[in-house]
Amino acid sequence: MIPVSGFEGAVVGVLGLGRSGLSAARALREGGAQVLVWDDNIAARERATDEGFEARDLRRAMDEMACLVVSPGIPHLYPEPNPVIAAALDAGVPVDNDIGLFFRSLGAGWEMYDRAPKVIAVTGSNGKSTTSALLHHILTSSGRESQLAGNIGRGVLDIDPPGDGGMIVLELSSYQTELARALTPDVAVFTNLSPDHLDRHAGLGGYFAAKRRLFAEGGPDRAVIGVDEPEGRFLAGQLSEGRSDDRVIRISSGRKLLGPGWYVFARKGFLAEWRKGRQVASIDLREISGLPGAHNHQNACAAYAACRSLGLAPRDIEAALRSFAGLPHRSQLIAEANGVRYVNDSKATNVDSALKALQAFDKIRWVCGGLMKEGGLGGLAAGLPHVTKAYVIGREPEAFALQLPGVEADICGDMATAVARAMADAQPGEVVLLAPAAASFDQYDNFELRGQDFTRNVQDALPK
């Protein structure tokens, strides 16, 4: 645990008692704060009171509180503030989250280290989980102490105090970066940007602004920036003092980047590192099974660049890339039988991530559908030629199928039917791919359960 500093003897409210909220409450108490908690869910409140926390309507405690700590899923500005947060803003009570508490507390007592620990923070629309896990894998494979936390792995305040020269890899969502009052990573990574969570951020500009705070507020020593979208190029330009400023490492999947700066890019399956106008390393990514497709090659570029900024050698990074198994529900190869591959990419919950999955394979039997997000499916057009046939699930599969022009669509409704029909139709050399391009909430509590259902149906149908 990382005890929260700066609130000794003060009253701090914690709103939302999921994983991050309860973790923050424990860390605040460990640091000497008097903690008041609240969650609209009675069971969550009971779990907290069982641990000795006082549950109270926080709107009636504003005069006492030095700070209000908010869980990431609770709106604080758009579409409208939660009533407790609105009361805090009216009363002038500072509002923070567990990420802000982490950064303000982590450096306490660092004079004891010969080599200060380092924090690498990863944000972006797609690929941040894989990039974070890949970074952690490379660091541990290279003999470095590393902990993985944030939006993946453990809560940021649940990790162990790092050892001498230890590394902490954080995956951070826009919900987390937007509210944190302290953001001071040593290395910050921006993977890419595509429309998502637009209601929460009042549009694409607000969404990008939330991501940008990790760089603008924190001033990292190194910034790794994906420049395949205008927002990334803009961010890299804002952070750089000039073309040769190697504090900014620009990365790309599909574009060759040249100039006097520091660049890492992947083209035609090969990762290349260029610095000061010269190529210094190259890696063949084509046969690395844990990183299929151009989108994963971008993830590899981001992790490679961050590790190079920390002083790791290219050969050590390459060895770790080859042993990376990938993450569940993210281009996860779950089976191969009779020449057909079965891939679970349930995390492809938006159009951009689903497009990347479609472009990673040819001859796809595509299991798709669910709760469509704002903007429709027009952005999938470039990937549809890869689809042999779509098998559409969800509560409104007909409406989903109507947005797939030129694609033969089988209206299945549920996962079991879709998997059974796709498996019956699949021919050698084809891929049965779950990449829904939609949220899961019309049929599942989360994308993990959807991916597990797909996996179970496939494995149950395969010969034993």
Side-chain angles (χ1 to χ4, degrees), residues 162-178:
D164 196 65
M167 304 286 178
I168 300 168
V169 180
L170 302 182
E171 179 199 335
L172 299 181
S173 71
S174 58
Y175 292 3
Q176 294 168 312
T177 58
E178 183 176 45

Side-chain angles (χ1 to χ4, degrees), residues 38-325:
W38 185 258
D39 193 299
D40 291 340
N41 184 289
I42 295 174
R45 293 203 301 272
E46 290 177 346
R47 286 193 296 270
T49 55
D50 287 345
E51 292 192 30
F53 292 107
E54 179 183 353
R56 194 196 303 181
D57 185 343
L58 298 177
R59 290 173 293 183
R60 300 176 182 175
M62 292 299 163
D63 290 343
E64 305 172 48
M65 293 193 321
C67 183
L68 174 66
V69 177
V70 179
S71 293
I74 301 174
H76 54 268
L77 188 56
Y78 302 114
E80 61 181 357
N82 176 277
V84 176
I85 299 174
L89 297 176
D90 287 342
V93 175
V95 180
D96 206 348
N97 61 14
D98 63 328
I99 304 300
L101 298 181
F102 167 82
F103 277 112
R104 71 176 285 163
S105 305
L106 182 65
W110 275 20
E111 65 276 1
M112 63 181 283
Y113 293 109
D114 291 329
R115 296 174 300 147
K118 291 185 181 294
V119 178
I120 307 98
V122 181
T123 195
S125 296
N126 299 306
K128 56 185 180 294
S129 294
T130 297
T131 298
S132 300
L134 184 55
L135 265 166
H136 174 64
H137 174 75
I138 295 169
L139 290 167
T140 54
S141 297
S142 302
R144 306 288 185 97
E145 176 197 315
S146 176
Q147 299 183 74
L148 181 62
N151 213 37
I152 187 175
R154 303 160 72 183
V156 291
L157 295 168
D158 281 335
I159 68 171
D160 302 320
D164 196 65
M167 304 286 178
I168 300 168
V169 180
L170 302 182
E171 179 199 335
L172 299 181
S173 71
S174 58
Y175 292 3
Q176 294 168 312
T177 58
E178 183 176 45
L179 190 60
R181 295 174 66 87
L183 286 167
T184 54
D186 297 280
V187 179
V189 179
F190 178 85
T191 58
N192 50 57
L193 193 85
S194 62
D196 208 356
H197 309 303
L198 299 187
D199 57 337
R200 176 65 179 265
H201 299 293
L204 185 61
Y207 178 51
F208 175 53
K211 301 285 190 186
R212 181 182 173 276
R213 287 193 77 244
L214 181 63
F215 304 84
E217 300 288 330
D221 296 334
R222 298 278 188 186
V224 176
I225 308 293
V227 295
D228 288 334
E229 295 86 30
E231 292 85 358
R233 295 191 287 275
F234 176 79
L235 179 58
Q238 283 200 313
L239 296 173
S240 177
E241 294 294 332
R243 295 185 68 214
S244 60
D245 186 354
D246 66 1
R247 293 174 303 170
V248 177
I249 309 176
R250 291 168 171 83
I251 65 167
S252 174
S253 176
R255 298 176 60 217
K256 186 174 184 178
L257 305 176
L258 296 177
W262 197 348
Y263 307 102
V264 178
F265 57 87
R267 292 182 73 236
K268 299 180 180 179
F270 287 87
L271 180 152
E273 177 188 2
W274 285 68
R275 195 169 186 183
K276 298 179 180 179
R278 297 178 56 195
Q279 182 171 325
V280 297
S282 177
I283 298 174
D284 185 350
L285 301 173
R286 293 173 299 176
E287 300 304 320
I288 298 180
S289 60
L291 296 167
H295 60 306
N296 275 309
H297 293 174
Q298 183 186 56
N299 300 334
C301 288
Y304 176 96
C307 288
R308 289 289 285 142
S309 77
L310 296 167
L312 274 68
R315 63 180 178 276
D316 294 331
I317 300 173
E318 179 177 2
L321 290 177
R322 296 192 180 283
S323 62
F324 181 64

Side-chain angles (χ1 to χ4, degrees), residues 411-427:
I411 305 302
C412 300
D414 62 87
M415 185 68 75
T417 302
V419 169
R421 293 179 181 175
M423 294 183 73
D425 292 345
Q427 302 297 313

